[in-house]
Amino acid sequence: MSVGALEGALARPEEKYRICGDTGLRVYAKAETLIKVNAVAAVVFLAVGGLFGLLVALTRWPAVHILPAEWFYTALTAHGAAVLLFWIIFFEMAILYFASAILLNCRLAAPKFAWLGFILMIVGSLMATVAVLQGESSVMFTSYVPMKAAPHFYLGIILFAVGALLGCMVFFGTLVIAKEEKTYEGSVPLVTFGAITAAIIAVFTIASGAIILVPTFLWSIGYISHIDTVMYKLVWWAMGHSSQQINVSAHVAVWYAIAALVLGAKPLSEKVSRTAFLLYILFLQLASAHHLLAEPGISSEWKVFNTSYAIYLAVLGSMIHGMSLPGAIEAAQRRRGFNKGVFGWLRQAPWGNPAFSGMFMSLVMFGFLGGISGVVLGTEQINLLMHNTLYVPGHFHATVVAGTTLAFMAVTYLVVPLIFRRELILPAVARWQPYIFGIGVAGISLFMMGAGTLGVSRRHWDITFSDSVFTFDYPGTAFLMMGLNGISAVLAAVGGLMYVVVVVGSILFGKVRDEAAIKANPIVAPGNAVSTYGGEGTLKLPGTIVLVTVFFLAFVLYYFINWKFLSEVWPLS
Amino acid sequence: MAIHAVKGNWWNEPLHRMEVIWISIAFVWGLVMFSAMIYWHIEGKQNLSNEAYRIDPEVFAAHTEAMVEKYTIGEEGDTGVPIVQPPPGSDVYLIARLWEWWPVLQFEKDQSYRLHLSSMDWQHGFSLQPTNINIQVHPDYELVLTLTPNEAGEFFVVCNEFCGVGHHTMVGKIRVIDKQ
Ligand code: HEM
Ligand SMILES: [Cu+2]
Ligand SMILES: [Cu+2]
């Protein structure tokens, strides 16, 4: 055999790819298909889960009270699983493949494994959903022992997690190939860096999940007789909370990606933004602590140290991104000439572009509503005022719905044209969607937090306690809050429906995005084909200074108000 | 741009002055919040007790029944739940079980009680309303806390941990009366 033939035989058959007309990136067909299937699965679960969310919210509206008790708890379990686990994690798989294969111009490592992972995730998610809908597993997605679900509920979630783990491995493999084959020069893009953060945390998360769910599954089929309830929570939340840190990393990466694509924004300095991502990994440790503040048998020292993730350094990471992003946007806008006054750059931002408006609302609401309430709720003693009240779902609808979900929705408006290569149908609906959904979600977050502040319990079918021996009347404002929450839920559901209609409709019936369409309707901000060395150090950014100052004052004020509230309740020690 | 690879060493990139200022502020704020929790342990009056034991539900039930036997002063509600008035400073037991808090407790204002909480079955949530104190209750664990009611009136214990289909009917009662 000649040397040439040998080389030919050893060389990998060249995989099919295209050059993206919008970004100039090399898009491999297999990666593209995997992004599509994961994104589609995600949207289907969002639609299903959102519907359950609406039913739950309407039931909690005392004047409507739509579901009977048993169905309510089933719907609530289905809601939590479908949206928090399945919608978000399927979408994150799509993001991982995008941030590795697409952004690095690289083929996907082991696409067959990626498919296997996807199939496991589908089988697992369907199995768990069926288990819940059969009615024998209304244990809430946290499935605290000793309340027992059907075995296939746990098994479904385990399969789903194994599938997600395979996806992470494919992601890491793709990074290695990209480096070896030199498909990019220098350091990976910031967005990919954020995705790496998410994937590393995901591995830790899934390991914790295995440690707790495998024994729980064995217990449900009778191989293990007892699971300690406090230990269960400790390990369960090592999974449950870390997975929220995956969401934060992923949606912050998405924020940067949207700001870059739509406005050509680059971070004020790569060093700071990347270090902020690193803080998420380094100070995650026992983040499950703030879920255990009201539990017996755990010392205060442990709680104080771990709930603050060792002196709030992960919060520091988020606060850094919270300044870096508006800073990057302001800098990009000013460079493009929108220089009028302190906020001219913001007024002139592309508010009609749902990718941008969704991203910016996500950023603001995640910080102001989700971030501040999270830190307050996670303060050891203040937690006594809020533990298991509606304040908790109020808080996390601000983080995981207004933050993560809205950011993922926003980026979908770029994924549809860039990856599915379809023009959006119903552009007017798309334009309004982030606002309708955003306002609705802001409402459910705030009103649930409000009701929680008044002591209203979470996961509770009837706050009038009609069948109880003793009945207690929550204050009238609490009922008002629940009504407003119901109205906001309808708004959020309408926004969610708009999203599903536009996305599914565009994928099925949208005009194919060809050369002409790309010219006529460019998506990616012109210029800035590569990141050049050097930050935005020279620009003055007064708008961002005002924004972060307002944020900081709101934070400090609200934090101390809650200490004041605490000081008024019965002394206990 | 954030979607492109970075040439050159990003670690040596200059920082924006605003970044330095913001990071310093945020870091100091983190220290303040960290210290606040410690400060409250020293000066604050609302701290969750660290005293907890493993306990067999039957043992806990026996302690409770002994207390009820000794200090019952009446009955309340359709099901005749005993009202118990233990002396100030004493050990008081409250059982959480599907779906009731048992018994009804009667406290004197501004007196302290050692309240023991445990569950007979699943997890429950002790949510004292309207004062708004929320504590998790586990089976096999007994939490002991010192509680000092500082207002008289009727208070309710709502279960705020999901405990099955009767969860929303699980309401107990604590009455606080003026010092006798
Ligand atoms: C139309 C949009 C939505 C509405 C109206 C909605 C409403 C609600 C309501 C009213 C609750 C019940 C609170 C309680 O009784 O304890 C709830 C729980 C929850 N929601 Fe949503 N939600 C929506 C979207 C989402 C999304 C997109 C996510 C995740 C990404 C999410 C995650 C959760 C979780 C994890 C729970 C807690 C379930 C549990 O306590 O076990 N929700 N939601
Ligand atoms: Cu209960
Ligand atoms: Cu309950």
Side-chain angles (χ1 to χ4, degrees), chain A residues 117-388:
Chain A
F118 176 72
I119 291 167
L120 282 172
M121 287 170 71
I122 289 284
V123 171
S125 52
L126 290 179
M127 191 186 283
T129 308
V130 167
V132 172
L133 296 182
Q134 282 170 335
E136 299 301 309
S137 303
S138 302
V139 293
M140 307 293 133
F141 74 101
T142 43
S143 55
Y144 290 154
V145 296
M147 192 180 277
K148 205 180 273 179
H152 54 301
F153 172 78
Y154 306 109
L155 188 61
I157 293 177
I158 292 170
L159 292 180
F160 181 80
V162 173
L165 187 62
L166 285 180
C168 294
M169 293 305 148
V170 169
F171 168 77
F172 290 123
T174 306
L175 297 180
V176 172
I177 294 181
K179 182 132 198 110
E180 271 176 2
E181 298 182 356
K182 299 197 171 53
T183 62
Y184 63 96
E185 277 177 69
S187 311
V188 296
L190 179 61
V191 172
T192 309
F193 196 87
I196 295 174
T197 310
I200 291 174
I201 300 173
V203 173
F204 170 77
T205 303
I206 296 170
S208 312
I211 293 173
I212 195 63
L213 285 175
V214 171
T216 308
F217 168 66
L218 294 176
W219 167 76
S220 74
I221 56 175
Y223 276 113
I224 290 181
S225 64
H226 178 78
I227 293 184
D228 183 274
T229 54
V230 174
M231 191 276 296
Y232 175 92
K233 277 191 161 174
L234 178 79
V235 187
W236 196 94
W237 280 110
M239 164 180 74
H241 188 79
S242 316
S243 72
Q244 304 319 310
Q245 211 74 43
I246 305 176
N247 299 342
V248 176
S249 308
H251 79 225
V252 172
V254 162
W255 290 343
Y256 280 113
I258 294 176
L261 283 164
V262 176
L263 299 172
K266 70 200 277 273
L268 297 183
S269 74
E270 294 276 348
K271 176 175 174 174
V272 168
S273 293
R274 286 174 197 239
T275 309
F277 275 121
L278 275 182
L279 289 176
Y280 287 156
I281 304 182
L282 295 178
F283 295 98
L284 188 64
Q285 21 117 0
L286 283 165
S288 63
H290 60 231
H291 295 269
L292 303 172
L293 297 175
E295 315 294 312
I298 299 173
S299 78
S300 290
E301 290 80 1
W302 187 91
K303 286 174 180 170
V304 167
F305 183 79
N306 285 304
T307 191
S308 60
Y309 314 50
I311 348 181
Y312 290 107
L313 290 175
V315 172
L316 178 66
S318 289
M319 287 179 73
I320 292 175
H321 290 307
M323 179 221 50
S324 235
L325 265 148
I329 292 168
E330 179 171 5
Q333 286 287 82
R334 288 192 186 276
R335 244 187 296 111
R336 297 162 102 207
F338 300 118
N339 250 321
K340 236 170 98 194
V342 177
F343 282 119
W345 60 277
L346 195 57
R347 270 198 299 280
Q348 305 277 349
W351 293 106
N353 179 344
F356 177 81
S357 62
M359 174 257 158
F360 204 83
M361 280 194 282
S362 164
L363 169 67
V364 171
M365 293 201 278
F366 179 78
F368 276 86
L369 303 183
I372 294 179
S373 66
V375 171
V376 169
L377 177 63
T379 303
E380 194 210 355
Q381 295 93 339
I382 294 177
N383 186 263
L384 285 170
L385 293 175
M386 298 158 175
H387 173 73
N388 268 355

Side-chain angles (χ1 to χ4, degrees), chain B residues 99 123-125 159-164 167-168 170:
Chain B
W99 285 288
Q123 293 185 37
H124 297 278
C159 177
N160 74 359
E161 179 57 78
F162 171 64
C163 56
H167 165 53
H168 59 273
M170 185 166 164

